[in-house]
Structures are given as C-alpha cells and as structure tokens.
C-alpha cells in the first residue's frame, strides 16, 4: 500500500551498542533491510547510516496496541504517521557516524539487548549523545528477550531503569521486543505515533544536510542516457522546489587552486521521498534531490557532511574554528587539558572531520580542520579525543 503522505513527517534514529539488534528492529518496522552497503554486508555490521521509510496505520481501536501496523490487512486502515528510520552504527570506532546521524533526528529508539549486562560501552556513549544533543523524544527497546527467559529479562529491565536515572530520558518508556518474531512491535509503533511532530520553519532560507550521495547510473550506461548525481539528506528549515538553483558547500577540490574547494552550483531536477515524487519538500523525513551534477562527484557518499541551500545563502566555508567546549562527565576517562596540535575527530552536521588544536584556554579551543566545513550557525559539534589509540566521545562544542 502506497503512503498517502507526500513525505515523512519525522526522522527516528536507532541508537545502541553494536549487535544489539538495531538493524533487525528497523527491518521489523519498515520491512526493509538497511545494511545494503557492501562493507556492512561483508563485516555483518552497520558501517554507514542506513535509512528506510514506513507509514504507520491504525486498524481498529486506537487504545489497543495491536491496532498499529506498518503492513495493514484491514479494509479501513487509517494512515496516521509516516516516519523515516535512520539506522546508526553502534561499534565504538564508528561512533562518529552515529553522532552525525543524531544531528538530523527528531526522536530515537534506544536499543538495549537483554542478553548482555546493561550498560555496555557503546550503550553508555550513545546515552551521552542523547544527553549532549538534547534528544528528549526517546523510546527504549529491550531486545533479544527470547534469549534470556522471563526472570532474567525482568532483572535486565531493572538494570535499564537504574542506568537511565538522572538522565534526560529517565522517564522514557521501555518496551520489551522480539524483533525477529514481530512481538511487541505494535506496542512500539503506538509509542512512536505519540511522539509530537516538531514545528517546521518553512519560511527561512532552506538548508539541507547531506547524509548520502549516489551515482545512480549502472556500469555501461550510454553517455546520452547518463543521469546526474543524487544527494540525499534531511532539510533543517525552509523549502526546496523542483527547478530551484542550489549550491552545495564546501563543494569539490578546485582544479585551478591546490587545497581549495569550489562550491557546486546545480539545479534540482527531481525530488523524492521514498517512492513518492514531489514538487517541493520541507523539513521532516529524508529527501533525495536528482541534479545535473557530474555523478563522479556524488558517488560513494563523497558529498556527505556538506550543506545544500539556495545560491549565496549558505554559511561561509571554514577551516579555522573558534569553539566553546562542554565536557561530558565520564568516570572511565581521566580529565586532560587539550594539547597544542592534538588531533580531534569532530562530528559536524552529518559529516566527520579531523581537526588539530592550535590553541586552548580552559573551554575555548581554536581548531584547524584538515578539510573545510560549512557549519550551520547553531550546530552542536561532537568532539572525540584519542585515548589509548581509541577515539572516545568527550564532549561537544558550539561556534564561539
């Protein structure tokens, strides 16, 4: 059944420790397997952000969880919400991708598996992301309950409650789910349907974070039939229309000047949301623009982390950042001042950037980026530092 909604109304991210069942749960909701990236399949884990759309229908009494479904079989199915699911990786070395995803989500499913003690290392770090970025609309899902039995599931549930105490999601609902059997998925859908749809700013100059970019042409396609590159992501504010002239910053390396980037100027030739073709798109859900860009610029997610907007309306491209830093409270890492030339991993929008500390005074740090970034004015920038040859989330920053 095709969705009656023109586009998704909100983005729901999945967060949690590696192999706790995020991708399986996303599949149970959307009936789409999001680990389609070749490296993800090879390594049996999510490497890049996966996403899929789902429309939630009501079949019967709204008070009954079993009335909520994404595969309606009743004749009077009432569509009540369309969501985009973002499946973020949980592995610690891939945390920056999860942080990038958190910048474009309106709510989250926090997945915690019952067959391991709570909290596991990335469970802790994902909760730090939720707290740091202020994501309040969170539903906790206790997965793999079929592997432990009733009593251990209850004990694990108590561990989760203790873990969430004194956090931004202390009162979040906790739903036990067997995703591979579809058990309690309806309860989860009812809870997701209750998350308020954020108010959207449709009048400001539009900005979209690029979360994916593609070359849709098959090998061997005749030159005359080649299509331009596709950029996909989430609109933060404003409105884009088919035919709009747009700019993508920082763009691509200049062929004239070494180490400099040139913005890409192109035109929106088509707009799609899942299987729906649109004339215009606003904030909410994941959107893809068909363009006339040379597809070599968009292949293999080459434009991830860039901003899209109307020509001349985007923030300036920066390589030197003055940041106000807020440290997270972590018992497992020693307090340590920033060192001159210390490398940092920064989650800026939907991208990850390497930067080097050039100066630091208390919570104000000057950072030079290895490659330039276009940063939305009020963005929160996640900061990862290297401890024992491992990148660890230590805090977040805003432009000073």
């Amino acid at each position: 059944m095709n969705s009656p909604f023109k586009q998704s109304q909100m983005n729901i991210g999945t967060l949690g420790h590696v192999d706790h069942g995020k991708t399986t749960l996303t599949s149970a909701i959307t009936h789409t397997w999001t680990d389609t990236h070749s490296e993800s399949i090879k390594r049996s884990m999510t490497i890049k952000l996966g996403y899929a759309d789902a429309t939630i229908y009501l079949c019967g009494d709204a008070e009954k969880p079993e009335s909520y479904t994404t595969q309606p079989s009743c004749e009077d199915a009432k569509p009540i919400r369309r969501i985009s699911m973002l499946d973020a990786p949980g592995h610690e070395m891939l945390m920056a991708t999860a942080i990038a995803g958190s910048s474009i989500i309106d709510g989250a499913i926090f997945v915690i598996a019952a067959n391991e003690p709570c909290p596991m290392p990335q469970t802790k770090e994902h909760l730090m992301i939720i707290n740091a970025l202020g994501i309040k609309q969170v539903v906790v899902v206790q997965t793999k309950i079929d592997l432990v039995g009733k009593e251990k599931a209850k004990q694990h549930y108590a561990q989760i409650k203790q873990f969430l105490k004194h956090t931004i999601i202390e009162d979040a609902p906790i739903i036990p789910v067997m995703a591979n059997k579809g058990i309690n998925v309806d309860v989860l859908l009812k809870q997701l349907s209750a998350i308020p749809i954020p108010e959207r700013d449709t009048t400001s100059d539009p900005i979209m974070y690029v979360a994916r970019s593609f070359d849709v042409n098959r090998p061997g396609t005749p030159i005359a039939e080649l299509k331009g590159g596709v950029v996909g992501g989430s609109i933060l504010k404003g409105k884009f229309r088919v035919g709009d002239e747009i700019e993508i910053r920082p763009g691509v390396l200049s062929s004239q000047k070494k180490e400099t980037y040139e913005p890409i100027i192109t035109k929106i030739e088509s707009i799609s949301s899942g299987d729906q073709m649109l004339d215009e798109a606003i904030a909410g859900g994941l959107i893809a623009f068909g363009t006339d860009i040379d597809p070599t610029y968009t292949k293999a997610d080459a434009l991830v982390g860039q901003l899209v907007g109307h020509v001349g309306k985007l923030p300036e491209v920066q390589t030197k950042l003055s940041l106000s830093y807020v440290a997270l409270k972590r018992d497992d890492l020693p307090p340590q001042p920033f060192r001159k030339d210390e490398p940092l991993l920064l989650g800026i929008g939907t991208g990850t950037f390497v930067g080097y500390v050039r100066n630091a005074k208390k919570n104000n740090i000057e950072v030079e980026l290895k490659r330039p970034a276009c940063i939305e004015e009020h963005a929160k920038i996640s900061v990862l530092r290297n401890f024992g040859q491992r990148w660890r989330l230590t805090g977040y920053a805003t432009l000073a």
Side-chain angles (χ1 to χ4, degrees):
M1 183 179 292
N2 290 330
S3 172
F5 298 107
K6 289 185 177 180
Q7 67 178 85
S8 292
Q9 296 158 297
M10 61 170 52
N11 291 332
I12 303 293
T14 59
L15 300 173
H17 189 77
V18 63
D19 201 31
H20 272 204
K22 296 183 296 297
T23 302
T24 302
L25 183 64
T26 299
S27 177
I29 294 170
T30 66
H31 311 288
T32 300
W33 191 257
T34 55
D35 265 359
T36 56
H37 185 259
S38 59
E39 191 65 17
S40 297
I41 296 169
K42 191 187 304 180
R43 293 173 60 182
S44 298
M45 65 170 68
T46 301
I47 303 296
K48 298 192 176 185
L49 284 174
Y51 55 85
D53 291 345
T55 299
I56 301 174
Y57 293 85
L58 184 65
C59 282
D61 186 351
E63 295 301 314
K64 297 179 179 179
E66 57 267 28
S67 298
Y68 293 80
T69 180
T70 52
Q71 282 192 319
S73 56
C74 61
E75 293 183 0
D76 58 344
K78 178 184 177 183
I80 56 175
R81 172 134 336 158
R82 183 177 175 187
I83 59 175
S84 287
M85 298 284 296
L86 279 76
D87 181 19
H91 194 277
E92 185 170 25
M93 295 307 292
L94 305 168
M95 280 293 297
T97 307
I99 293 166
S102 66
S103 65
I104 56 173
I105 65 176
D106 303 306
I109 298 172
F110 193 15
V111 178
I112 305 176
N115 65 330
E116 293 187 322
C118 177
M120 295 296 286
Q122 282 78 61
T123 308
K124 286 183 180 179
E125 295 201 352
H126 279 219
L127 182 59
M128 290 178 197
I129 294 171
I130 290 169
N131 275 316
L133 299 179
I135 304 168
K136 297 180 181 178
Q137 301 297 338
V138 176
V139 180
V140 179
V141 172
Q142 184 191 30
T143 56
K144 303 191 180 184
I145 56 172
D146 51 316
L147 300 182
V148 297
K150 184 176 179 179
E151 290 306 315
K152 285 192 176 180
K154 284 183 176 181
Q155 293 170 12
H156 185 263
Y157 182 95
Q159 290 178 4
I160 296 174
K161 291 293 288 184
Q162 183 63 33
F163 171 57
L164 298 180
K165 273 189 175 180
H166 311 302
T167 72
I168 195 172
I169 58 169
E170 180 175 11
D171 298 321
I174 304 172
I175 302 173
V177 166
M178 286 175 57
N180 57 340
K181 301 292 184 183
I183 294 173
N184 266 11
V185 172
D186 50 1
V187 180
L188 174 57
L189 294 177
K190 181 178 180 180
Q191 199 68 49
L192 293 178
S193 301
I195 294 177
I197 297 173
E199 291 186 16
R200 305 298 189 185
D201 173 4
T202 60
T203 59
S204 297
D205 292 324
I207 289 180
M208 183 177 85
Y209 279 132
V210 178
R212 301 296 296 269
S213 66
F214 307 91
D215 172 9
V216 296
N217 300 290
R218 294 180 179 277
T221 301
I223 292 177
E225 297 176 17
L226 287 174
K227 295 181 179 179
V230 176
V231 292
S234 192
I235 299 171
L236 297 184
K237 60 183 179 179
K239 182 183 296 184
F240 289 96
R241 295 182 175 88
V242 172
D244 281 358
E245 189 177 43
I246 57 172
E247 182 176 9
I248 303 175
R249 291 188 184 181
V252 295
L253 277 169
S254 171
S255 58
Q256 307 294 326
K257 298 179 181 179
K258 191 176 180 182
E259 302 298 323
T260 62
Y261 281 69
E262 292 181 348
I264 299 170
I265 307 295
T266 185
K267 186 177 76 171
I268 298 177
E269 297 191 334
S270 64
I271 300 176
S272 62
S273 173
D275 56 1
Q276 303 270 9
M277 301 305 296
L278 311 176
D279 295 321
E280 63 180 29
I282 63 172
L286 294 156
I287 301 295
F289 294 158
T291 72
D292 58 5
I293 300 172
D294 183 334
T296 59
Y297 291 148
T298 60
K299 68 188 303 181
D301 288 331
L303 297 182
V304 168
Q306 306 215 20
L307 291 189
V308 179
H310 286 162
V311 178
K313 300 294 186 180
L314 286 172
E316 292 299 318
V317 173
Q318 302 183 65
T319 54
K320 295 181 179 179
L321 307 179
S322 179
L323 301 176
S324 295
Y325 176 74
V326 179
L328 297 175
K329 294 180 180 180
R330 296 196 59 156
D331 298 331
D332 58 334
L333 295 178
Q336 192 175 99
F338 289 98
R339 307 180 306 277
K340 191 177 188 315
D341 298 329
E342 177 185 351
L344 303 176
L345 197 62
L346 304 177
I348 303 174
T350 50
T352 54
F353 296 77
V354 175
Y356 297 91
V357 176
R358 297 309 185 205
N359 193 22
K361 291 182 180 179
K362 293 186 178 180
N363 292 326
N364 295 313
I365 54 175
E366 305 290 330
V367 177
E368 185 172 353
L369 298 176
K370 192 172 181 179
R371 62 184 174 93
C374 187
I375 307 174
E376 204 265 330
E377 183 181 4
H378 302 293
K380 286 185 177 178
I381 299 169
S382 298
V383 178
L384 286 82
R385 302 178 68 185
N386 198 306
F387 287 88
Q389 299 184 333
R390 294 168 64 187
W391 290 106
R392 309 299 294 272
L393 177 66
T394 62
Y396 66 92
T398 53
L399 295 176

